[in-house]
Amino acid sequence: MTSVFGWMATDAEQSRRMMEVVDQFRDSTTIDDLGLGGIRDAFSDTLFPGTSTLHTRIRYALFVPWLMQLASDRNATVPEMSGAFARSEFQLTQSLRIIALALDIETL
């Protein structure tokens, strides 16, 4: 069931003012009055890459953080972590494809 918004206008002035109020809800843009949105977005993209969009696949909520944690637990430097993550991601992908084939599930 969808929401309904209505009103009774008794004169043209009230109708005009109400339409102005309704039009404000149609605007989907935001205003960055202080100009800090770009800085916020840069920090967000650096610290939490890939989280600015909605994800419909479970891998983003479970597998990727799990693999990142494994890589950070076992390695000391960033290049080592990056390599360990890439290897773990590849191994997980291959394992999931084998399972999908065994269960006759369509993969991407």
Side-chain angles (χ1 to χ4, degrees):
M1 181 174 179
T2 59
S3 298
V4 177
F5 181 78
W7 70 92
M8 292 181 60
T10 57
D11 64 13
E13 177 62 20
Q14 286 181 348
S15 180
R16 183 192 61 75
R17 288 180 25 213
M18 195 60 199
M19 288 306 296
E20 288 176 2
V21 170
V22 171
D23 285 340
Q24 289 179 355
F25 290 106
R26 290 190 182 126
D27 187 15
S28 62
T29 60
T30 58
I31 298 173
D32 183 14
D33 291 331
L34 299 176
L36 300 175
I39 297 169
R40 178 204 61 226
D41 293 344
F43 275 112
S44 176
D45 291 342
T46 301
L47 298 174
F48 310 104
T51 59
S52 62
T53 58
L54 295 176
H55 297 291
T56 58
R57 304 200 182 278
I58 194 70
R59 68 176 171 239
Y60 297 110
L62 298 176
F63 294 138
V64 172
W66 173 57
L67 294 176
M68 294 291 275
Q69 184 178 16
L70 287 175
S72 68
D73 288 347
R74 297 179 183 167
N75 300 283
T77 66
V78 172
E80 290 173 351
M81 288 181 216
S82 179
F85 175 78
R87 288 187 299 277
S88 296
E89 186 178 30
F90 180 77
Q91 290 172 347
L92 176 65
T93 303
Q94 295 305 316
S95 299
L96 291 175
R97 283 195 175 132
I98 290 169
I99 292 170
L101 288 172
L103 297 175
D104 196 29
I105 299 172
E106 185 177 327
T107 62
L108 294 176

